């Protein structure tokens, strides 16, 4: 407040012409300040554009180097180049799609699916990204998901014969085989349960075969009951088997033989 009051007192003694000149100079200074601010903003924007252009240019160089390495089957080195390019242009869907293809060549299916999903997220209208995603999903055995990805790819680019004749056709064939295998497994399991739960079959005990067997067993039992045998051991150690008939018993002299069962 003291400073503000001091300026008011000084201003009261300044002539009108001097005051007008001062205000004009102040206005010029303000315009120059505004111009400096605008120039600074434009310069910063330009520097940012140049930096982005440099990043895009360097990323493209790395992408091309990685593509050449991948064509020569130097897959690991190609992945390193593309990872460096992604640090510069993280929204480049093509880099993720190329990574997915190389990862599938290395039989790393989980990372391949992840890379293809990143490509689809960054460019949902890329038919080749959807195609690569379907192939990676097929490598994991996710046949239904792969078919959906191939269908999306065809929806974006219906005239693509590769997806239609090769990818989608192969996926549907695998799906049919999977269904057939599952049906066979279910049938085999059901048949096994039926065999376990199957009751003892009913036999016809009045059949001729059963009657004949029963008659033979009865005759044998009758013959055994009619003839009784016993083993006799003499005092001298001689062993003799004696058969006794019901109507003609033959009992040895007990003084000479010892009966043994």
């Amino acid at each position: 407040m003291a400073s503000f009051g001091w300026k008011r007192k000084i201003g009261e003694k300044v002539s009108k012409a001097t005051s007008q000149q001062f205000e004009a100079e102040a206005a010029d200074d303000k315009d120059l300040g505004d111009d400096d601010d605008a120039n600074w903003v434009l310069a910063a924007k330009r520097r940012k554009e140049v930096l982005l252009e440099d990043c895009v240019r360097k990323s493209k160089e790395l992408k091309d180097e990685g593509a050449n390495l991948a064509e020569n089957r130097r897959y690991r080195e190609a992945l390193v180049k593309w990872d460096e390019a992604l640090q510069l242009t993280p929204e480049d869907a093509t880099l993720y799609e190329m990574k997915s293809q190389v990862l599938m060549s290395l039989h790393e299916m989980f990372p391949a699916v992840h890379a293809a999903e990143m490509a689809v997220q960054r460019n949902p209208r890329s038919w080749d990204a959807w195609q690569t995603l379907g192939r990676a999903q097929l490598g994991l055995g996710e046949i239904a998901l792969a078919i959906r990805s191939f269908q999306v790819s065809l929806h974006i680019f219906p005239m693509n014969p590769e997806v239609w004749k090769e990818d989608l056709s192969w996926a549907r064939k695998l799906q049919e085989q999977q269904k057939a295998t599952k049906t066979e497994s279910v049938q085999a399991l059901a048949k096994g349960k039926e065999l376990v739960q199957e009751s003892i079959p009913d036999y016809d005990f009045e059949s001729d075969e059963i009657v004949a067997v029963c008659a033979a067993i009865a005759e044998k039992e009758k013959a055994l009951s009619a003839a009784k045998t016993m083993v006799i051991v003499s005092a001298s150690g001689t062993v003799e088997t004696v058969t006794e008939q019901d109507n003609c018993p033959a009992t040895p002299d007990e003084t000479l033989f010892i009966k043994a069962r």
Side-chain angles (χ1 to χ4, degrees):
M1 296 299 292
S3 175
F4 178 75
W6 177 78
K7 284 182 179 179
R8 287 181 60 190
K9 291 178 181 178
I10 294 298
E12 290 175 354
K13 297 180 180 180
V14 177
S15 65
K16 185 176 181 180
T18 305
S19 178
Q20 290 176 351
Q21 183 181 358
F22 175 78
E23 291 175 358
E25 292 176 355
D28 293 337
D29 292 340
K30 182 178 181 182
D31 293 337
L32 291 174
D34 294 339
D35 292 340
D36 291 340
D37 292 340
N39 293 334
W40 182 85
V41 173
L42 291 174
K45 185 177 181 181
R46 180 56 185 165
R47 283 195 298 271
K48 184 177 180 181
E49 292 176 353
V50 171
L51 180 61
L52 290 175
E53 291 174 359
D54 291 341
C55 289
V56 172
R57 178 181 53 80
K58 181 62 176 176
S59 176
K60 187 178 183 305
E61 292 177 359
L62 292 169
K63 182 193 295 186
D64 294 339
E65 291 176 9
N68 292 330
L69 291 170
E71 289 177 358
N72 294 322
R73 299 181 181 275
R74 297 165 64 179
Y75 298 132
R76 296 294 180 186
E77 298 177 52
L79 289 174
V80 173
K81 295 293 183 180
W82 291 336
D83 286 336
E84 293 178 2
L86 283 171
Q87 296 294 325
L88 300 172
T89 55
E91 297 301 319
D92 191 342
T94 306
L95 286 170
Y96 285 106
E97 190 269 334
M98 296 168 71
K99 276 190 64 176
S100 180
Q101 292 188 50
V102 167
L103 289 168
M104 280 189 285
S105 299
L106 294 171
H107 304 288
E108 298 182 9
M109 293 304 172
F110 282 103
V113 170
H114 177 69
E117 289 175 345
M118 297 291 286
V120 168
Q121 290 176 8
R122 279 153 178 75
N123 187 7
R125 300 295 302 172
S126 174
W127 64 266
D128 49 352
W130 282 103
Q131 180 188 26
T132 301
L133 176 59
R135 290 178 175 179
Q137 291 168 335
L138 205 59
L140 280 181
E142 298 291 344
I143 300 176
L145 293 178
I147 290 176
R148 178 185 177 276
S149 297
F150 293 143
Q151 289 173 341
V152 174
S153 179
L154 282 173
H155 179 75
I156 299 171
F157 183 25
M159 303 304 294
N160 188 347
E162 184 181 15
V163 177
W164 180 262
K165 295 181 180 180
E166 297 181 12
D167 296 316
L168 187 58
S169 177
W170 174 246
R172 285 177 173 171
K173 184 177 180 180
L174 290 177
Q175 189 179 46
E176 292 175 358
Q177 293 177 355
Q178 187 182 52
K179 289 181 179 179
T181 303
K182 185 178 296 185
T183 301
E184 292 177 358
S185 300
V186 172
Q187 291 177 350
L189 182 61
K191 187 176 180 180
K193 290 182 178 180
E194 289 178 359
L195 292 175
V196 172
Q197 297 176 356
E198 185 178 1
S199 58
I200 299 175
D202 296 331
Y203 294 101
D204 185 5
F205 291 99
E206 296 182 358
S207 64
D208 296 338
E209 292 82 0
I210 299 298
V211 172
V213 171
C214 292
I217 294 174
E219 290 295 331
K220 186 176 181 180
E221 291 292 334
K222 183 177 180 181
L224 290 176
S225 61
K228 296 181 181 179
T229 60
M230 58 182 177
V231 178
I232 305 299
V233 180
S234 64
S236 61
T238 304
V239 179
E240 182 179 356
T241 302
V242 180
T243 301
E244 296 182 353
Q245 300 292 335
D246 291 341
N247 53 0
C248 184
T251 305
D253 188 356
E254 295 183 358
T255 60
L256 298 177
F257 297 96
I258 300 174
K259 185 184 295 187
R261 294 181 180 180

